[in-house]
């Protein structure tokens, strides 16, 4: 299933994309795409619904974040060898973890705000894992059973905040609008192999990133198991799994960063596409 949340900010309705491309309202069945509604039991109930019997929503409505009420937004850094090299950092021996503030989360096509007093805003297309059932000390073999599905994430970063302001990555990752997710949460049964997905990103129609999840250093099942050794993962938590090479920081001979008025387009096989316009901060 391709689950989504549609409507104005803060008033999104749970929805599903039917096979014919229509968007169907799930409000009569569930309250939101969030928390316990992401369990295998509820997802299986939704699969049994005759989608054509549900009200159709306009395709012109805003697509909100594909998951609501996210508790944790966990990111894996430097998870592609080539990206670690372009960042001038060693290939990690264990997953590098950091948090991204949940207040950064926006819809897949919402504007991205360039923060005040910055000039190093960067892009990062990433595969997002959405947790469906609580995971604590889970084995790698059982890890995927705790996954509800996957989504596209643009892990937008302000490199000056990230690198030059005291060494805390979270400062460069958590600005408002720096976490577009969606358009869909695609349930795990539709993704045959999360380690064989092409992912790409363009700025103003120039392709900067063109990779495949098969080149991850740490795979999806390993990431879920690893994180669960340090903290419990709750339904609706999102894990962003790292980005392939081609970020602005790594461009030669000089880094290239985002400015207001540019358009980012990005996508992952089977998970849909995002498009964001960058805009100046309005005070």
């Amino acid at each position: 299933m391709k689950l989504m949340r549609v409507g104005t900010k803060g008033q999104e309705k749970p929805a599903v994309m039917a096979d014919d491309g229509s968007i169907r309202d799930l409000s009569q069945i569930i309250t939101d795409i969030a928390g316990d509604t992401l369990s295998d039991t509820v997802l299986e109930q939704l699969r049994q619904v005759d989608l054509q019997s549900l009200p159709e929503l306009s395709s012109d409505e805003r697509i909100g974040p594909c998951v609501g009420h996210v508790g944790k937004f966990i990111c894996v850094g430097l998870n592609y060898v080539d990206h670690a090299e372009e960042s001038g950092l060693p290939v990690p021996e264990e997953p590098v973890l950091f948090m991204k503030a949940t207040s950064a989360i926006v819809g897949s096509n919402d504007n991205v705000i360039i923060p005040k007093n910055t000039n190093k805003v960067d892009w990062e297309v990433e595969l997002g894992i959405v947790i469906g059932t609580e995971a604590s000390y889970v084995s790698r073999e059982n890890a995927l059973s705790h996954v509800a599905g996957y989504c596209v994430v643009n892990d937008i970063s302000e490199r000056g905040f990230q690198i030059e302001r005291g060494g805390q990555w979270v400062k460069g990752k958590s600005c408002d609008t720096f976490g577009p997710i969606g358009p869909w949460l695609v349930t795990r049964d539709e993704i045959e192999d999360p380690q064989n997905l092409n992912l790409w990103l363009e700025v103003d129609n120039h392709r900067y990133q063109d990779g495949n999840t098969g080149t991850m250093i740490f795979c999806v099942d390993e990431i879920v198991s690893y994180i669960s050794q340090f903290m419990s993962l709750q339904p609706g938590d999102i894990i962003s799994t790292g980005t392939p090479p081609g970020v602005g920081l790594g461009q030669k001979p000089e880094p290239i960063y985002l400015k207001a008025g540019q358009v980012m387009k990005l996508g992952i096989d089977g998970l849909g596409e995002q498009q964001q316009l960058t805009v100046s901060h309005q005070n």
Side-chain angles (χ1 to χ4, degrees), residues 81-89 243-247 249-252:
V81 173
D82 292 346
H83 175 56
E85 291 175 348
E86 73 176 350
S87 301
L89 296 168
T243 198
V247 299
L249 174 67
Q251 299 303 307
K252 305 298 183 185

Side-chain angles (χ1 to χ4, degrees), residues 5 22 33 53 67 98 100 128 130 152 163 186-187 199 207 218 221 227 246 250 263 270:
R5 300 168 71 249
S22 63
I33 308 296
S53 68
V67 182
F98 61 92
K100 194 176 185 84
V130 180
V152 181
I163 300 169
V186 180
T187 52
L199 63 171
R207 183 157 293 197
F218 306 105
D221 55 358
I227 295 174
V263 175

Side-chain angles (χ1 to χ4, degrees), residues 4 6-7 15 17 20-24 55-64 109:
M4 55 199 304
V6 177
M17 178 167 284
D20 63 1
S22 63
I23 300 173
R24 299 291 172 165
E56 184 173 358
L57 297 172
S58 171
S59 60
D60 294 330
E61 286 201 61
R62 168 184 174 268
I63 299 174
N109 302 324

Side-chain angles (χ1 to χ4, degrees), residues 102-164:
T102 57
S103 55
I105 293 173
V106 290
S108 59
N109 302 324
D110 288 346
N111 290 345
V112 167
I113 300 170
I114 303 294
K116 296 170 66 175
N117 306 315
T118 64
N119 58 7
K120 295 181 179 180
V121 178
D122 204 348
W123 57 82
E124 294 188 16
V125 59
E126 306 197 4
L127 171 66
I129 305 167
V130 180
I131 298 299
T133 56
E134 182 176 352
S136 179
Y137 298 105
V138 299
S139 67
R140 186 170 178 178
E141 292 72 24
N142 293 327
L144 293 187
S145 68
H146 295 271
V147 173
Y150 305 94
C151 66
V152 181
V153 175
N154 192 354
D155 177 22
I156 301 166
S157 311
E158 211 296 328
R159 301 302 187 188
F161 291 174
Q162 178 187 357
I163 300 169
E164 302 164 14

Side-chain angles (χ1 to χ4, degrees), residues 2-282:
K2 295 179 174 65
L3 300 172
M4 55 199 304
R5 300 168 71 249
V6 177
T8 58
K9 183 178 179 179
Q11 299 181 19
E12 294 92 348
K13 295 179 180 179
V16 60
M17 178 167 284
D19 290 340
D20 63 1
S22 63
I23 300 173
R24 299 291 172 165
D25 188 353
L26 290 173
S27 298
Q28 299 174 1
I29 305 171
I30 57 175
T31 57
D32 205 349
I33 308 296
D36 291 340
T37 62
L38 298 172
S39 70
D40 286 348
T41 300
V42 175
L43 293 179
E44 184 56 35
Q45 291 172 352
L46 293 178
R47 290 187 187 95
Q48 304 307 314
V49 174
D50 176 11
L51 300 184
Q52 299 301 319
S53 68
L54 299 176
E56 184 173 358
L57 297 172
S58 171
S59 60
D60 294 330
E61 286 201 61
R62 168 184 174 268
I63 299 174
C66 60
V67 182
H69 310 291
V70 175
K72 294 191 289 294
F73 198 166
I74 307 166
C75 300
V76 182
L78 308 174
N79 197 27
Y80 290 73
V81 173
D82 292 346
H83 175 56
E85 291 175 348
E86 73 176 350
S87 301
L89 296 168
V91 175
E93 296 182 2
E94 295 188 38
V96 175
L97 303 182
F98 61 92
M99 294 290 202
K100 194 176 185 84
T102 57
S103 55
I105 293 173
V106 290
S108 59
N109 302 324
D110 288 346
N111 290 345
V112 167
I113 300 170
I114 303 294
K116 296 170 66 175
N117 306 315
T118 64
N119 58 7
K120 295 181 179 180
V121 178
D122 204 348
W123 57 82
E124 294 188 16
V125 59
E126 306 197 4
L127 171 66
I129 305 167
V130 180
I131 298 299
T133 56
E134 182 176 352
S136 179
Y137 298 105
V138 299
S139 67
R140 186 170 178 178
E141 292 72 24
N142 293 327
L144 293 187
S145 68
H146 295 271
V147 173
Y150 305 94
C151 66
V152 181
V153 175
N154 192 354
D155 177 22
I156 301 166
S157 311
E158 211 296 328
R159 301 302 187 188
F161 291 174
Q162 178 187 357
I163 300 169
E164 302 164 14
R165 300 294 298 273
Q168 293 294 319
W169 283 17
V170 67
K171 288 183 284 192
K173 300 286 189 170
S174 296
C175 302
D176 291 349
T177 74
F178 272 25
I181 62 171
W184 314 314
L185 187 172
V186 180
T187 52
R188 73 173 188 270
D189 59 296
E190 291 201 8
I191 303 301
E192 182 176 351
D193 182 3
Q195 302 307 150
N196 187 26
L197 301 175
N198 294 315
L199 63 171
W200 56 271
L201 182 143
E202 299 174 350
V203 180
D204 293 341
N205 296 315
H206 178 86
R207 183 157 293 197
Y208 285 96
Q209 293 187 274
D210 207 346
N212 186 282
T213 57
T215 63
M216 284 182 181
I217 300 168
F218 306 105
C219 297
V220 168
D221 55 358
E222 186 174 4
I223 288 169
V224 173
S225 174
Y226 181 85
I227 295 174
S228 79
Q229 310 305 309
F230 301 95
M231 67 193 83
S232 63
L233 293 168
Q234 304 298 324
D237 285 351
I238 296 174
I239 305 169
S240 201
T241 58
T243 198
V247 299
L249 174 67
Q251 299 303 307
K252 305 298 183 185
E254 297 291 336
I256 297 173
Y257 295 118
L258 294 165
K259 300 176 182 177
Q262 295 188 290
V263 175
M264 288 180 283
K265 295 180 182 179
L266 57 148
I268 302 178
D269 287 352
L271 302 182
E273 298 183 4
Q274 299 185 356
Q275 177 172 310
Q276 297 110 24
L277 173 68
T278 56
V279 298
S280 298
H281 185 280
Q282 300 296 319

